Amino acid sequence: NIRLTKRVIDDAKPGETIFDSALTGFALRVTPAGSKSFIIQYRTRSGQPRKMTLGAFPNDGARNPSSRHFQRQRAYIELRPQ
């Protein structure tokens, strides 16, 4: 179980994607050049995986928008016909 703490983010190596264990689909992606950004990974209604970039680190405010996005995605999935 990995929480995306400042220490984990600072220690992330180029090319890594580290998923947060507390918020499903929320992750830190580090480019080969070393740029860090927050992403969310989710599935569309048809089941296709998607990734959305929320913002670059050190803008730590990405957690709140991702939570709102996940709430919308969950509501959308729950309302779709089976």
Side-chain angles (χ1 to χ4, degrees), residues 9-54:
I9 293 168
D10 289 342
D11 292 344
K13 304 210 180 333
E16 281 187 317
T17 299
I18 304 169
F19 284 88
D20 189 304
S21 60
L23 188 57
T24 305
F26 183 72
L28 174 78
R29 179 170 43 193
V30 186
T31 66
S35 297
K36 298 175 182 178
S37 54
F38 293 106
I39 64 166
I40 56 170
Q41 184 173 303
Y42 61 97
R43 292 193 177 270
T44 64
R45 193 183 266 196
S46 63
Q48 296 178 353
R50 296 277 189 242
K51 291 180 185 171
M52 179 188 304
T53 302
L54 298 174

Side-chain angles (χ1 to χ4, degrees), residues 5 40 59 62 79:
T5 62
I40 56 170
N59 181 8
L79 293 174

